[in-house]
Each structure stands twice: as structure tokens, then as C-alpha cells.
């Protein structure tokens, strides 16, 4: 079954460093999302991306965050200068149209630890 | 602004019994609802969904019920199995650009 692939599975970084999280979406999916889950909290929407541009973003997705599809396959989330509170699981997801309805397919996640 | 709420953080059920997980939402524009299951260190996996034009959808041991007037949905698992132990997230979609998730309910099925 097609799957969303995320790398790295775990990254440890120092506060203030830049981090890039990578996602390979399912090939025929057109909508891409980043979500995050801080330990013990809910899954939070960060940003949605369609047709090479951001379609919606949350309050969390401030100027420190950016997304791009640099080579037409990978979908990346960059955090420019990480903060302690950025420590979380970051999930990439893509939309799978099933019978006209949208179902998010998630990757396994990238755990980011900011020290 | 918590548009999707799961008020029970945890639930324990005996194997073979019914598990009922509840979810409430506030936005009447939501027209599609999904349940996801999540094991530790894995991403959420899709379980079952329901459109707002229906009030019930069934898939094997899993049934989702939607009560639009109460803005409430529930997931029933019958019979519950130990492998069902996981965190279950309710999610809602209104426009396809953003899916709103609840905080999750941790289900433990006791053998």
C-alpha cells in the first residue's frame, strides 16, 4: 500500500539551529499537510500546501516556519531558528480522495527534540 | 479554539465488550468526520469516516454514529480486542484545507 515517508525519524538539535524535515508524499496526491503533536497534547494543524503554494496556515506557523517542494517530490518543513517549544512529533500527511471524500494519510512522523 | 473535543482522555474495556469513544464538535460547517488510530511512535492511521449526509457508517467491528443536531459523533468497536489498544483521534473537515483534530482518547482493552 502506498505510504507517506518521513525523514529523519528523530532529530536532536540545539536551540537556535535550523531544522529541515522531509516528506515524500504518495505520488498521485495533490494536497500536503504538516501537523505536529507536542507530547501529551492534541494533533495540531500547521500548514496545508497545494499547487506549489500554501493554501492555509495556522497561528503556529509563524515566520520561523516555511514549506516548499524543492524538487517536485519531496515536501519539506523548515524551522529557521528552533525553540525549546518546537520539540514535538511532526507529521506529514497527504490527501487521498476516496469516493470523493478526503482522507488524510499520515507518515510515521519525525520526532524533533530541541535542547 | 477547540472545535473538536474528546472529553474522555482514557477508556478501559474488557476484551470482547463494546468500546464507545465520543467526540463533540462546535462548527456546524463541518461535513465530514474521520476517526484515526495511533500507536506509540507511529503516525495516525485512518480507521473510518462518515459524511454529514449519513448518520451511521459501519466497517467490520467499527461503527461510527453521527448526530448532527447534537454535534456529536461516536465510534463503537465491537467486540473489542487487545490489539485495539491505542489512542483514537476524532477529526473533522469542513473545506478540505484543514482537518481539525480532537485531543484523543487512549483506549486500553484488557485481556
Amino acid at each position: 500500500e502506498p505510504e507517506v515517508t518521513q525523514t529523519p525519524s528523530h532529530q536532536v538539535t540545539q536551540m537556535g539551529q535550523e531544522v529541515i524535515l522531509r516528506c515524500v508524499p504518495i505520488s498521485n496526491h495533490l494536497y500536503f499537510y504538516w501537523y505536529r503533536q507536542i507530547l501529551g497534547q492534541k494533533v495540531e494543524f500547521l500548514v496545508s500546501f497545494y499547487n506549489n503554494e500554501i493554501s492555509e496556515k495556522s497561528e503556529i506557523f509563524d515566520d520561523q516556519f516555511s514549506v516548499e517542494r524543492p524538487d517536485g517530490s519531496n515536501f519539506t518543513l523548515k524551522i529557521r531558528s528552533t525553540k525549546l517549544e518546537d520539540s514535538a512529533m511532526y507529521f506529514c500527511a497527504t490527501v487521498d480522495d476516496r469516493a470523493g471524500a478526503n482522507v488524510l494519510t499520515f507518515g510515521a512522523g519525525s520526532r524533533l527534540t530541541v535542547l | 479554539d477547540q472545535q473538536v473535543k474528546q472529553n474522555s482522555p482514557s477508556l478501559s474495556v474488557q476484551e470482547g465488550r463494546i468500546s464507545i469513544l465520543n467526540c463533540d464538535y462546535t462548527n456546524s460547517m463541518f461535513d465530514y468526520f474521520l476517526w484515526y488510530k495511533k500507536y506509540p511512535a507511529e503516525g495516525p492511521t485512518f480507521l473510518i469516516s462518515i459524511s454529514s449526509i449519513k448518520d451511521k457508517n459501519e466497517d467490520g467491528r467499527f461503527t461510527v454514529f453521527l448526530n448532527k443536531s447534537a454535534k456529536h459523533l461516536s465510534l463503537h468497536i465491537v467486540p473489542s480486542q487487545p490489539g485495539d489498544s491505542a489512542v483514537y483521534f476524532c477529526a473533522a473537515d469542513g473545506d478540505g484545507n484543514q482537518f481539525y483534530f480532537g485531543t484523543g482518547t487512549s483506549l486500553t482493552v484488557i485481556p
Side-chain angles (χ1 to χ4, degrees), chain A residues 34-99:
Chain A
W34 282 102
Y35 282 82
R36 79 172 184 190
Q37 185 185 25
I38 296 170
L39 186 65
Q41 299 185 24
K42 66 175 180 176
V43 175
E44 300 176 293
F45 169 77
L46 294 178
V47 65
S48 58
F49 191 84
Y50 171 71
N51 201 24
N52 289 321
E53 61 183 30
I54 291 173
S55 52
E56 191 166 347
K57 60 183 180 180
S58 71
E59 293 174 353
I60 303 167
F61 195 87
D62 61 20
D63 292 343
Q64 293 299 313
F65 291 87
S66 62
V67 289
E68 63 175 2
R69 237 187 142 198
D71 55 11
S73 60
N74 287 294
F75 177 50
T76 63
L77 174 69
K78 183 192 291 186
I79 308 174
R80 214 176 320 276
S81 177
T82 50
K83 303 186 287 287
L84 294 176
E85 53 265 38
D86 293 328
S87 295
M89 281 291 288
Y90 288 81
F91 294 104
C92 175
T94 64
V95 165
D96 168 16
D97 283 333
R98 298 184 186 180

Side-chain angles (χ1 to χ4, degrees), chain B residues 55-84:
Chain B
D55 53 22
K56 177 182 174 182
N57 189 26
E58 195 170 349
D59 183 2
R61 297 185 297 114
F62 302 91
T63 303
V64 55
F65 295 91
L66 175 63
N67 182 335
K68 282 190 298 181
S69 60
K71 295 192 180 69
H72 176 84
L73 63 156
S74 60
L75 174 68
H76 292 210
I77 307 173
V78 181
S80 301
Q81 299 172 354
D84 295 330

Side-chain angles (χ1 to χ4, degrees), chain B residues 76-108:
Chain B
H76 292 210
I77 307 173
V78 181
S80 301
Q81 299 172 354
D84 295 330
S85 296
V87 177
Y88 289 79
F89 290 96
C90 168
D93 174 24
D95 58 8
N97 280 327
Q98 181 177 162
F99 292 73
Y100 297 84
F101 283 79
T103 50
T105 296
S106 178
L107 173 66
T108 302

